Short mmCIF file of all heavy atoms in Angstrom, two decimals:
data_model
loop_
_atom_site.label_atom_id
_atom_site.label_comp_id
_atom_site.label_asym_id
_atom_site.label_seq_id
_atom_site.Cartn_x
_atom_site.Cartn_y
_atom_site.Cartn_z
N VAL A 215 -0.20 -9.87 31.23
CA VAL A 215 -0.12 -11.16 30.51
C VAL A 215 1.25 -11.05 29.78
O VAL A 215 1.69 -10.06 29.39
CB VAL A 215 -1.30 -11.29 29.49
CG1 VAL A 215 -1.27 -10.02 28.48
CG2 VAL A 215 -1.26 -12.53 28.74
N GLY A 216 1.80 -12.24 29.75
CA GLY A 216 3.16 -12.46 29.14
C GLY A 216 3.05 -13.20 27.81
O GLY A 216 2.32 -14.02 27.61
N GLU A 217 3.80 -12.73 26.84
CA GLU A 217 4.02 -13.35 25.58
C GLU A 217 5.17 -14.31 25.61
O GLU A 217 6.32 -13.86 25.50
CB GLU A 217 4.22 -12.39 24.31
CG GLU A 217 4.30 -12.96 23.00
CD GLU A 217 5.12 -12.21 22.03
OE1 GLU A 217 5.93 -11.32 22.36
OE2 GLU A 217 4.77 -12.31 20.81
N ILE A 218 4.95 -15.53 25.79
CA ILE A 218 5.86 -16.67 25.83
C ILE A 218 5.64 -17.64 24.62
O ILE A 218 4.96 -18.53 24.71
CB ILE A 218 5.83 -17.51 27.13
CG1 ILE A 218 5.87 -16.53 28.28
CG2 ILE A 218 6.99 -18.48 27.13
CD1 ILE A 218 7.12 -15.74 28.50
N TRP A 219 6.16 -17.12 23.42
CA TRP A 219 5.81 -17.92 22.18
C TRP A 219 6.99 -18.79 21.97
O TRP A 219 8.11 -18.40 21.80
CB TRP A 219 5.56 -16.98 21.06
CG TRP A 219 5.08 -17.76 19.88
CD1 TRP A 219 3.85 -18.16 19.50
CD2 TRP A 219 5.98 -18.36 18.84
NE1 TRP A 219 3.79 -18.88 18.35
CE2 TRP A 219 5.16 -19.00 17.96
CE3 TRP A 219 7.36 -18.34 18.69
CZ2 TRP A 219 5.68 -19.68 16.79
CZ3 TRP A 219 7.82 -18.97 17.53
CH2 TRP A 219 6.96 -19.66 16.57
N ASN A 220 6.63 -20.11 21.77
CA ASN A 220 7.59 -21.14 21.25
C ASN A 220 6.80 -22.05 20.25
O ASN A 220 5.59 -22.09 20.41
CB ASN A 220 8.08 -22.01 22.41
CG ASN A 220 9.13 -21.28 23.32
OD1 ASN A 220 10.05 -20.57 22.85
ND2 ASN A 220 8.72 -21.21 24.62
N PRO A 221 7.42 -22.63 19.28
CA PRO A 221 6.81 -23.43 18.33
C PRO A 221 6.14 -24.69 18.99
O PRO A 221 6.79 -25.25 20.01
CB PRO A 221 7.88 -23.73 17.33
CG PRO A 221 9.14 -23.64 18.01
CD PRO A 221 8.95 -22.45 19.04
N LEU A 222 5.20 -25.27 18.52
CA LEU A 222 4.59 -26.42 18.99
C LEU A 222 5.60 -27.62 18.59
O LEU A 222 6.56 -27.39 17.84
CB LEU A 222 3.21 -26.75 18.29
CG LEU A 222 2.08 -25.84 18.67
CD1 LEU A 222 0.88 -26.22 17.85
CD2 LEU A 222 1.84 -25.79 20.07
N SER A 223 5.31 -28.82 19.17
CA SER A 223 6.10 -30.03 18.86
C SER A 223 5.44 -30.56 17.61
O SER A 223 4.18 -30.80 17.54
CB SER A 223 5.92 -31.06 20.04
OG SER A 223 6.47 -32.28 19.66
N TYR A 224 6.33 -30.79 16.57
CA TYR A 224 5.84 -31.38 15.35
C TYR A 224 6.32 -32.74 14.98
O TYR A 224 7.46 -33.11 15.42
CB TYR A 224 6.22 -30.36 14.19
CG TYR A 224 5.56 -29.12 14.09
CD1 TYR A 224 5.94 -27.93 14.87
CD2 TYR A 224 4.35 -29.02 13.30
CE1 TYR A 224 5.11 -26.85 14.88
CE2 TYR A 224 3.61 -27.86 13.13
CZ TYR A 224 4.04 -26.74 14.04
OH TYR A 224 3.30 -25.66 13.99
N GLY A 225 5.58 -33.49 14.26
CA GLY A 225 5.96 -34.83 13.85
C GLY A 225 6.60 -34.90 12.49
O GLY A 225 6.81 -33.82 11.84
N SER A 226 7.04 -36.07 12.06
CA SER A 226 7.75 -36.18 10.76
C SER A 226 6.93 -35.85 9.56
O SER A 226 7.42 -35.51 8.50
CB SER A 226 8.34 -37.57 10.63
OG SER A 226 7.13 -38.47 10.67
N ASP A 227 5.58 -35.80 9.75
CA ASP A 227 4.66 -35.37 8.66
C ASP A 227 4.46 -33.78 8.52
O ASP A 227 3.78 -33.37 7.78
CB ASP A 227 3.32 -36.08 8.80
CG ASP A 227 2.54 -35.70 10.28
OD1 ASP A 227 3.26 -34.90 10.97
OD2 ASP A 227 1.54 -36.16 10.40
#
Side-chain angles (χ1 to χ4, degrees):
V215 60
E217 180 205 28
I218 308 294
W219 185 88
N220 290 305
L222 295 177
S223 168
Y224 285 85
S226 58
D227 59 357

